[in-house]
Amino acid sequence: MKLTIMGPPGGGKGTQAELLEKRLGIVHISTGAIIRKAISDKTPLGLAAEKYIDEGSLVPDDVVISMVKERISQPDCEAGYILDGFPRTIPQAEAMEGMGIDLDCALNIVVEDDAIVERLSGRRECAVCAAPYHVKYNPPKAEGKCDKCGGDLITRADDVPETIRQRLRVYHAQTEPLKRFYEERGLLRTARGCEELSDTTRNVLEALGVRQ
């Protein structure tokens, strides 16, 4: 199976991709990880990407897609792969098709905006050791203090509600149109993201037609 997982920021794409990797025995591919490795290995594409990053620019689509194509040509992708949150726009999806990257399925995880804001704005991080917490799902034993080192817990800048809503606005404007793009190709599958991880996983497996 060759698929991409779409959904809003904080919607659980990465977590479900990791679970599917184990369940289906196919490779989970994060474009961010691809870019970091290419830069670390100093490949030609990595050097090109590093130049844009050093300039404070986004890595162009053709460079990222070339990296994806190079990655999925590796032997460990012969049985299939999961693209985590890529493509993000219709031009990226069209460019992928133009480069011969075909998908069997585009899985869209649906989560309401208010649930995303609650989920992400509740995240906390230790200012000292960076241990992760959540005020609802993984609270510390003592309010505002890290269980491990006693450091103060902070809210990251990108977890502030207004910042989250801006990220959601960008998602709705740029990424949601992909649903129709893949629906027209008969590739779209939809799964509802739930508060409980196991419920989301069940919905994902059902959407993909995987026996549970």
Side-chain angles (χ1 to χ4, degrees), residues 32-48:
I34 291 177
I35 292 172
R36 288 191 294 273
K37 188 175 190 307
I39 291 173
S40 175
D41 292 346
K42 298 190 180 303
T43 67
L45 287 171
L47 293 173

Side-chain angles (χ1 to χ4, degrees), residues 42-134:
K42 298 190 180 303
T43 67
L45 287 171
L47 293 173
E50 187 173 35
K51 176 178 177 291
Y52 289 102
I53 291 172
D54 288 345
E55 292 173 352
S57 304
L58 293 175
V59 180
D61 288 350
D62 60 335
V63 175
V64 177
I65 294 167
S66 294
M67 287 181 174
V68 171
K69 188 172 185 179
E70 185 177 88
R71 177 66 184 89
I72 65 178
S73 70
Q74 300 301 312
D76 63 345
C77 290
E78 289 180 359
Y81 50 82
I82 306 161
L83 296 178
D84 178 0
F86 188 87
R88 295 180 184 274
T89 64
I90 287 179
Q92 288 177 349
E94 291 174 337
M96 280 177 56
E97 285 188 341
M99 294 181 72
I101 301 175
D102 297 319
L103 298 173
D104 298 317
C105 172
L107 174 67
N108 183 47
I109 298 178
V110 178
V111 185
E112 300 299 328
D113 283 5
D114 288 345
I116 291 293
V117 173
E118 179 184 15
R119 186 180 299 179
L120 295 186
S121 64
R123 296 194 300 193
R124 299 291 183 271
E125 183 179 278
C126 177
V128 178
C129 71
Y133 294 88
H134 193 283

Side-chain angles (χ1 to χ4, degrees), residues 2 13 37 45 71 81 147 156-157 161 180 194 200 209 211:
K2 299 175 290 185
K13 297 184 297 293
K37 188 175 190 307
L45 287 171
R71 177 66 184 89
Y81 50 82
D147 295 346
R156 298 188 317 183
R180 184 169 184 177
C194 303
T200 301
R211 184 177 296 175

Side-chain angles (χ1 to χ4, degrees), residues 170-185:
V170 171
Y171 165 76
H172 291 309
Q174 297 185 359
T175 304
E176 272 200 327
L178 279 172
K179 291 191 295 185
R180 184 169 184 177
F181 178 90
Y182 284 119
E183 187 175 32
E184 291 173 346
R185 287 155 175 74

Side-chain angles (χ1 to χ4, degrees), residues 19-28 76 78-82:
L19 293 171
L20 287 172
E21 180 179 41
K22 296 174 183 176
R23 178 69 179 258
L24 303 178
I26 58 179
V27 181
H28 170 204
D76 63 345
E78 289 180 359
Y81 50 82
I82 306 161

Side-chain angles (χ1 to χ4, degrees), residues 134-146:
H134 193 283
V135 295
K136 182 176 181 180
Y137 304 114
N138 181 33
K141 294 176 182 176
E143 185 174 351
K145 295 294 181 180
C146 177

